[in-house]
Structure formats: C-alpha cells, structure tokens
Amino acid sequence: MSLKRNILDLRKRKDEVLKGGGEKAIEKQVAMGKLTARERIIHILDEGSFHEYDMFVVHEARDFDMDKMKLHGDGVIIGTGTIEGSPVCIFAQDFTVAGGSLGLMHARKITKIMDHALKMRVPLIGINDSGGARIQEGVNSLAGYGEIFFRNTLASGVIPQISVILGPCAGGAVYSPALTDFVFVVENISKMFITGPSVIKTVLGEEISMEDLGGARVHAEITGNAHFYAESELECFEQIKQLISYIPWNNTQKAKSQEPAKPTFKKKIENIVPGDAKMPYDIRDIIKSITDKSEFFEIMELFAPNLVIGFGRMDGETVGFVANQPKVLAGVLDCDSSDKAARFIRYCNAFNIPIITLEDLPGYLPGVDQEHAGVIRHGAKILYAYSEATVPKITVIIRKAYGGGYIAMNSRHLRADFVFAWPTAEIAVMGPEGAANIVFRKEIAEAEDPEAMRQQKIQEYKDKFANPYVAAARGYIDEVIEPQDTRKMLLHALKVSANKSISGPAKKHGIPPF
C-alpha cells in the first residue's frame, strides 16, 4: 500500500508540473498563435520517444518575494528523444512559466542537456521562447547565459546545434542562437534583437515595431541571422526533421545513407543554360538535374540570393552544394554571399560532407558601397574556407569564371580535388567587353570605326580566352565535359575521393578574416 501511495503521489506531482504556468497562461500562449513548450517537443520528435529530465527542479532565488513563487521546472523542459530513429537532445523554454525567463537553475538545466549532448555525441535542439534574463536573480542570470555560450562554443564543429526561435529572444539571449549552426524562425512568432523598440525609442528617438526590428522575415532576408524561414510552427518542425536527415550525428561520422535514386527533373540539363551568356537561368535547375530524386534542401534561401547553398544527395550520400545564381545580380560574389558561402563550407568540412561547387559568375560585385562595407575582408572568408576544407571538393564551371571569382569558387589553386568545365565555360581575368576595352584601347581609339573595331577585338578576345581550353591546357581544368555527363562525372569524383586524407602544418588554429 505504501508503494501504491508513493506512485499516486508521483503521478500527482507530475500532473502539477505538466500544467506549466497554469491554464490562464496556456490560454494566453495559444491566443498568440503559439504551441506550448511540450507540444513543440512532441511535434518535433518521433511519437512516444521523448524522455524528460529534471522535471522537479525548482529555483533557489529568495529576493523580491521569489521565495513565495513556485515555478514548475523553472521555466524550461529538457530531455532526449529521436527523429526518424536518430537520437537527439532537446530543450524548450516554457513561456507560460515566468515568461520563460532564465534564472540560475533554468540555465543549469539547459547546460546539463548540452553537456549530455556533447558527451553522447548527438545533435542538440534548443527552442527559445523567453522574456530574457530573470532580473530578480541578478548576476546569476548573466552567469547562466555565459555558461550556455561557453558550451555552444565547445560543441561547435563536434555536434550539430540547432536553434528554434518561437517567441521573443532578446538581449544576451540572442547570442546562443548566433553561436549555433542553424537558426529557424517562424513568421509573426519569432522575435530577435539586442535592444527592443522601447530602448531604441528612448535612446535614439526612433519608433519601430518588434516585427520590423527583429521579426522572422527581417532575419531570414536582411540580417542573415536565420537559416530557415517558415510560415507556421508545424512547417518549421518539418524543416528541422528534413535537416536532421541530411546531417551526421557528430563530427566523427557521416550522414546516414539513403537508397540511391536517379534524378526525376523533367528538363534536360543541356537545355537549361541559354546560349547567350548574358541571359540568366536558375542554378537550382542544374542542381535538381543531378541530385537523387532531384531533391535539394536549400539553406538561407532569402538571404544573399545571388548565391545558393544547401544539401542534396548523390548516390544516396549527402553532399553540400555551393552555387552562383545567375538569376540574381548575375551570380556575383559580394559581402553577404561570401559570408553565406564561407560559413556553409566550414560546416560541411566540420561534419564530413563533400562539397560540390557550381560556378557561373562575373566576379566580385564592384562599387563604393561594397568596398566600404569591407568586401575585401568578407570576400577573403570564402577563399579561407575553401582553402582550409579537407573534405572532397569538386567544381563544375558552367559558364562565366572571371577574375577573383574564378579563384574564389573552389579553383584548382585553392586545392579543389576535381575541376570540370562545360564547353560553354569562359575562364578569364575579366569579361571580353571589359578586357577588349583595356587591351585594345589604342587600336579602338585610332580606328576609323571605333565601335566596329571594338566588336572585332571583343570577338578576338572571346576566341582566344573566353573558353575552357586555355585553362585546360595549363592543367587547371581536369576535363571539359558535356553537360549531360555532369552527374556521371560527379558520382565518379565523389567515389574516388571518398577516402581522401590530407594534413597541413601543425598549429593551434588559423586566423580567418572574421
């Protein structure tokens, strides 16, 4: 009878904790169009797989009448579960309990599951929905954030770290998501900023809404702080599951293999690129023409759209794609696209994911704005990332490869393992028009018909340099291939380089142009 009473008491205590901040707080959460913390976890994980820990943890604060407040679970839920059978660690801040504010015990619960994830070498998913630091706990709250940030850094490049912003995330709280690998946001729900609208109004006299300051669209499209944008929480959860299917559990493994499949894209690859080099096309059509089932999981789709990054599969294995997008700004590299590419390249390298580069760009974007924004420093990041990467690196030059852009997009000179080029490839210091104006300036100026002479010299330059054969003659291109052979060549290159092993000079670490 004693055991039965104890079991009933346990169930009663659990039921009390499961109520979170109470019915009114939950109703308020639902009224904002938000799911509860536990509902979110259940939707992300496989059915029945969630195991919760530290359910009965309570805060230890005594000041400002905190000793009279009972905060179930101290406002955060932690535990483990699976996604499509793969184990993950997860935490979710509970906004119904003291606004999900972070105090010392709240932070200790989060750091406990972070330590567990690192020890067990499994992905970590953090759901952020918090009013920020618990002011009543003073410096203990700040200490809690610091402990979280340190662990984010420790786990970086070891296990995948995923942040989901499903409510406010302000002040110091935003730095943990910024330190993780992937950030997910949802329209009208996610809010991220260092200082809120009220502070900005007080200090600067500027009025702005929370949505315009740090809403989902802002971070997905303008700041680049978010990698995935969704219109609903449920759509967001499906994105998370899809991402998990492409990446490995940790840096000592490779992503799970899938059954190999042929592309299903209806367009023939040789018909995608226009004959006129000035005409745009969608590089994603090329990617879908070569990936298994023509599937491509794009990352940071709305930010710096002149460059496309994401995951696909080749012969059942995960591959990372970095590709110029001729549809936007002719696919040029600029500050934002360089940052976007460099970070993704480093992620793929850390987690043993081969990188395929599809190249078609006229170079770096010129202009005063770019120069003053630091395009030299930002542009150097992509050079550093490719040079540093030791995973298989394969490049296909589709059309333009001019100047510094040619070098930056995983050229032989940055130690690409294989470089292929289509017959349409144009590899030169600059475009034929610009080059002719410089090289043949005198002849054009002295000609009876300068424009006719200019066109003649442009054609001469095209015939001599705007093709892949000069580079191929120097060994900078391994093979000039027909477009329809692209997938076959890539599959072979990936197979040959699967056991690639190289080592560099001994050092603590390099100094990237952060």
Side-chain angles (χ1 to χ4, degrees):
M1 291 299 294
S2 176
L3 176 58
K4 187 175 181 180
R5 281 198 302 271
N6 287 339
I7 291 173
L8 290 172
D9 179 58
L10 171 62
R11 290 176 180 174
K12 183 179 178 183
R13 290 172 182 267
K14 281 189 173 183
D15 287 342
E16 190 67 24
V17 173
L18 291 173
K19 292 177 183 177
E23 289 183 11
K24 286 186 178 180
I26 292 173
E27 286 173 6
K28 189 176 179 181
Q29 177 90 343
V30 173
M32 290 188 288
K34 297 160 64 176
L35 297 172
T36 66
R38 281 192 174 80
E39 286 173 338
R40 288 165 171 169
I41 291 172
I42 290 167
H43 277 293
I44 292 173
L45 302 181
D46 295 337
E47 187 176 352
S49 71
F50 180 56
H51 293 266
E52 184 175 349
Y53 312 128
D54 287 355
M55 179 184 277
F56 301 117
V57 163
V58 294
H59 68 84
E60 298 177 345
R62 294 293 175 265
D63 297 324
F64 305 105
D65 293 328
M66 283 294 292
D67 54 323
K68 299 173 185 176
M69 296 181 66
K70 190 172 185 180
L71 306 180
H72 292 305
D74 204 26
V76 66
I77 301 164
I78 68 169
T80 55
T82 61
I83 296 178
E84 293 186 359
S86 297
V88 298
C89 288
I90 192 167
F91 71 83
Q93 293 178 311
D94 188 349
F95 197 78
T96 70
V97 179
S101 58
L102 186 138
L104 182 61
M105 296 308 296
H106 180 119
R108 283 182 179 173
K109 287 181 69 172
I110 292 175
T111 54
K112 180 177 182 177
I113 202 65
M114 293 177 79
D115 290 340
H116 193 68
L118 189 57
K119 181 169 60 177
M120 301 303 174
R121 294 293 195 269
V122 298
L124 173 72
I125 300 173
I127 301 174
N128 296 264
D129 187 2
S130 168
R134 191 174 296 159
I135 298 171
Q136 297 92 327
E137 295 197 31
V139 73
N140 276 340
S141 294
L142 300 180
Y145 278 125
E147 293 292 333
I148 292 170
F149 303 159
F150 178 79
R151 285 166 174 81
N152 285 137
T153 307
L154 200 65
S156 182
V158 181
I159 57 171
Q161 298 182 84
I162 296 168
S163 293
V164 195
I165 313 300
L166 294 179
C169 187
V174 298
Y175 289 118
S176 178
L179 289 168
T180 60
D181 302 315
F182 300 103
V183 177
F184 291 76
V185 292
V186 177
E187 182 66 30
N188 297 321
I189 291 178
S190 308
K191 306 286 187 295
M192 294 174 69
F193 34 71
I194 297 295
T195 55
S198 59
V199 175
I200 289 175
K201 184 177 180 181
T202 301
V203 176
L204 301 175
E206 298 176 7
E207 290 195 23
I208 189 169
S209 68
M210 289 179 68
E211 192 66 30
D212 290 338
L213 178 63
R217 192 89 188 184
V218 169
H219 289 300
E221 188 173 330
I222 299 173
T223 70
N225 289 328
H227 302 81
F228 296 96
Y229 167 90
E231 293 184 352
S232 70
E233 291 196 30
L234 296 181
E235 182 188 350
C236 173
F237 301 153
E238 289 305 312
Q239 291 174 343
I240 294 169
K241 293 175 186 179
Q242 200 171 354
L243 173 64
I244 289 291
S245 75
Y246 278 103
I247 59 178
W249 293 0
N250 58 59
N251 65 342
T252 66
Q253 299 181 346
K254 288 191 174 183
K256 280 186 178 180
S257 299
Q258 303 284 334
E259 189 69 27
K262 293 181 179 179
T264 58
F265 198 59
K266 292 180 181 178
K267 286 184 185 177
K268 288 187 177 181
I269 193 169
E270 60 267 29
N271 296 333
I272 293 171
V273 180
D276 184 349
K278 294 180 181 178
M279 294 292 290
Y281 63 93
D282 194 337
I283 195 64
R284 288 170 293 203
D285 289 347
I286 301 288
I287 297 172
K288 291 173 184 177
S289 297
I290 59 179
T291 57
D292 292 7
K293 299 180 183 178
S294 296
E295 293 177 344
F296 177 56
F297 186 55
E298 189 169 353
I299 299 168
M300 301 182 83
E301 181 180 355
L302 301 177
F303 179 72
N306 44 313
L307 186 118
V308 171
I309 60 172
F311 295 122
R313 291 190 180 91
M314 301 284 290
D315 202 30
E317 303 293 335
T318 295
V319 173
F321 284 90
V322 178
N324 306 114
Q325 176 57 288
K327 274 182 66 176
V328 183
L329 295 174
V332 294
L333 287 174
D334 56 9
C335 292
D336 287 343
S337 61
S338 295
D339 286 357
K340 177 178 174 178
R343 195 174 189 277
F344 181 67
I345 292 162
R346 298 196 88 199
Y347 182 87
C348 289
N349 191 52
F351 288 96
N352 312 305
I353 299 172
I355 302 166
I356 291 176
T357 303
L358 302 178
E359 183 173 357
D360 186 351
L361 82 162
Y364 280 91
L365 180 64
V368 175
D369 289 346
Q370 282 293 305
E371 294 292 349
H372 288 183
V375 69
I376 296 171
R377 172 168 47 86
H378 291 276
K381 293 178 185 180
I382 192 170
L383 296 167
Y384 192 101
Y386 269 128
S387 299
E388 178 189 50
T390 58
V391 293
K393 300 181 292 186
I394 306 160
T395 297
V396 181
I397 302 175
I398 295 169
R399 208 164 55 175
K400 299 185 187 78
Y402 296 157
Y406 156 69
I407 301 170
M409 292 299 289
N410 192 38
S411 62
R412 166 72 60 200
H413 323 292
L414 303 187
R415 302 302 183 265
D417 298 301
F418 293 95
V419 180
F420 304 118
W422 285 12
T424 50
E426 301 176 6
I427 304 165
V429 174
M430 64 173 64
E433 289 82 1
N437 288 339
I438 295 172
V439 176
F440 306 110
R441 184 189 313 131
K442 187 176 180 181
E443 291 96 322
I444 293 171
E446 294 176 353
E448 290 184 11
D449 186 344
E451 181 56 28
M453 177 62 73
R454 194 175 79 87
Q455 292 302 324
Q456 179 186 328
K457 293 303 181 181
I458 287 172
Q459 191 58 48
E460 282 184 27
Y461 189 87
K462 281 183 178 179
D463 294 341
K464 188 167 182 62
F465 294 109
N467 61 67
Y469 302 108
V470 175
R474 301 291 185 272
Y476 302 147
I477 304 294
D478 292 302
E479 190 170 351
V480 181
I481 63 173
E482 295 184 23
Q484 56 265 37
D485 292 332
T486 303
R487 176 176 161 90
K488 180 181 72 175
M489 296 303 298
L490 288 172
L491 288 173
H492 179 72
L494 288 166
K495 189 173 184 179
V496 169
S497 58
N499 296 314
K500 174 184 175 182
S501 177
I502 61 172
S503 59
K507 57 182 176 180
K508 224 176 182 182
H509 55 71
I511 321 286
F514 285 149

